[in-house]
Amino acid sequence: MIDFRSDTVTQPTMAMRKAMAEAEVGDDVYGDDPTVNSLQDMAAEMYGFDAALFVSSGTQANLLALMAHCDRGDEYLCGQQAHNYKFEGGGAAVLGSIQPQPLANQADGSILLADIKQAIKPDDIHFARTRLLSLENTIGGKVLPQDYLAQAQSLAFNKGLKIHLDGARVANAAVAQNVAIGDVTQYFDSVSVCLSKGLCAPVGSILLGDERLIHKAIRWRKMLGGGMRQAGILAAAAKLALLDQVERLAEDHFHAQLLAEKLQQIDEIEVDVSEVQTNMVFAQLADQVDPNKLVHSLLHKGIKVSPSKQLRLVTHADISRADIDIFIEQLKISLAR
Ligand SMILES: *Cc1c(COP(=O)(O)O)cnc(C)c1O
């Protein structure tokens, strides 16, 4: 199968499987797992934070961050398209009694600083307390400019807000700009990072923050059923995600460019190649194309794509240059039917 649905479909590498088999483990709820501890120390050190916490998913990392920053009746500002607003089941509201205040995302993924300023509520008993600004990078495959992050940080600081980054794909953002991940994370009080997307780990995310935030997050994680025991089995693969898989993302970005250029030459498809910044390509199908039929036909050829008028195609470690050629060839055949 050639699977373009997401970079979450990556298989763990052979090195990861070997490291998992050989991992030294302990009970992580007691803080006894040496492999988890070494992953957390390593991540905190690499990205310039006091502490880090290994958690089951990106959704959990974001929820823990929101619950650690905000109390009941507080609110966070985020984009309308933010994963931690739109795609996480309303967890902050449901489980944290935290109100989201979504704001328009611009075409480049940013939120206007003026919109942020205007949305911060005065200290008044009528309003939820605005506590946190949450950004996402990359967002829809797009990289937020470094100077924008600096401006957002200084705005948050001046207004007494904390600032969180949903950095599920922060490694893609760093590689695309040829900077270190720490150069991107430096502007934030907390960051969530997915290790199970382009970085190939089978399971897990990292939450970064100061000691106090991570301490609160550990408590919420336990309450939410996320205390794991011999989690070093997973952390062993997660370490290799951070050590071995980050630079490789440049290949995924190159493949996405290549894919977009080839798609652009197909009549029934519209793609803006200049919009492709990392590992995602958005391809608009012409009106006469039925996305469900197309997806079904491709599936018969061993190619998986999510059905939509606007296809989201994601490149990752298990998609080669040859796979892209196969896809384009089969796509042309399917469209000609
Ligand atoms: C995937 C993703 C998450 C959630 O990660 P899971 O591990 O799937 O829970 C959060 N934020 C963004 C931007 C994501 O792409």
Side-chain angles (χ1 to χ4, degrees):
M1 279 287 168
I2 306 173
D3 196 339
F4 286 98
R5 289 172 304 168
S6 177
D7 46 7
T8 55
V9 302
T10 48
Q11 296 283 311
T13 63
M14 284 315 292
M16 284 178 179
R17 290 175 187 271
K18 186 163 183 294
M20 291 173 81
E22 293 168 1
E24 249 190 275
V25 296
D27 188 331
D28 183 50
V29 173
Y30 287 101
D32 283 352
D33 191 302
T35 310
V36 170
N37 291 338
S38 110
L39 166 68
Q40 292 175 165
D41 292 347
M42 187 178 93
E45 166 82 25
M46 282 169 90
Y47 305 144
F49 284 81
D50 292 347
L53 187 64
F54 182 52
V55 302
S56 60
S57 67
T59 300
Q60 189 174 69
N62 280 330
L63 178 60
L64 296 178
L66 292 169
M67 290 176 76
H69 283 297
C70 302
D71 292 325
R72 186 171 184 227
D74 289 350
E75 90 174 352
Y76 66 108
L77 310 177
C78 61
Q80 284 282 1
Q81 303 307 320
H83 199 282
N84 63 18
Y85 167 60
K86 201 173 172 185
F87 300 102
E88 295 180 8
V94 175
L95 300 166
S97 299
I98 304 160
Q99 165 173 288
Q101 171 61 71
L103 302 168
N105 286 107
Q106 302 302 304
D108 67 356
S110 69
I111 305 168
L112 293 179
L113 298 177
D115 288 352
I116 295 170
K117 259 187 229 163
Q118 187 149 40
I120 299 170
K121 302 190 178 36
D123 182 6
D124 178 310
I125 57 164
H126 291 86
F127 300 125
R129 287 170 302 234
T130 311
R131 277 285 158 81
L132 179 70
L133 170 62
S134 178
L135 300 179
E136 187 173 314
N137 196 16
T138 62
I139 177 161
K142 290 188 177 153
V143 179
L144 297 180
Q146 289 286 96
D147 62 340
Y148 171 76
L149 299 185
Q151 287 163 17
Q153 180 195 36
S154 111
L155 171 61
F157 182 81
N158 291 330
K159 299 289 182 182
L161 305 183
K162 296 290 183 185
I163 182 167
H164 172 72
L165 178 68
D166 179 348
R169 295 189 179 85
V170 67
N172 294 87
V175 167
Q177 300 174 98
N178 207 10
V179 300
I181 292 174
D183 291 338
V184 182
T185 59
Q186 66 175 322
Y187 300 108
F188 297 90
D189 297 303
S190 60
V191 179
S192 59
V193 185
C194 272
L195 307 176
S196 59
K197 290 187 170 165
L199 302 181
C200 298
V203 175
S205 280
I206 282 279
L207 176 64
L208 301 158
D210 65 16
E211 294 279 358
R212 194 171 148 274
L213 180 113
I214 295 299
H215 190 72
K216 281 171 119 176
I218 290 172
R219 210 183 156 75
W220 289 127
R221 184 184 67 170
K222 187 73 183 82
M223 187 190 286
L224 293 166
M228 298 188 282
R229 302 295 177 178
Q230 284 70 39
I233 296 273
L234 300 174
K239 280 174 76 170
L240 295 182
L242 294 181
L243 292 171
D244 297 349
Q245 296 298 318
V246 173
E247 283 166 44
R248 199 206 53 74
L249 293 174
E251 211 170 89
D252 298 347
H253 299 175
F254 173 67
H255 287 158
Q257 275 291 331
L258 205 66
L259 175 60
E261 284 162 18
K262 287 174 190 265
L263 286 169
Q264 203 183 27
Q265 290 160 16
I266 300 176
D267 286 344
E268 296 89 340
I269 292 181
E270 212 176 306
V271 176
D272 187 344
V273 178
S274 71
E275 299 251 291
V276 179
Q277 298 176 7
T278 57
N279 67 334
M280 285 185 199
V281 178
F282 292 89
Q284 188 70 34
L285 297 176
D287 283 343
Q288 73 271 20
V289 182
D290 178 338
N292 289 307
K293 277 192 189 150
L294 178 65
V295 166
H296 194 74
S297 157
L298 288 170
L299 192 58
H300 271 290
K301 309 293 184 187
I303 296 165
K304 286 191 185 177
V305 173
S306 302
S308 170
K309 264 289 178 200
Q310 192 188 47
L311 299 178
R312 185 189 80 156
L313 303 163
V314 187
T315 55
H316 52 74
D318 296 339
I319 290 185
S320 65
R321 196 173 169 151
D323 291 337
I324 289 171
D325 291 335
I326 294 168
F327 169 60
I328 293 291
E329 191 185 324
Q330 290 303 329
L331 183 64
K332 284 179 182 164
I333 294 170
S334 294
L335 288 169
R337 289 238 174 90

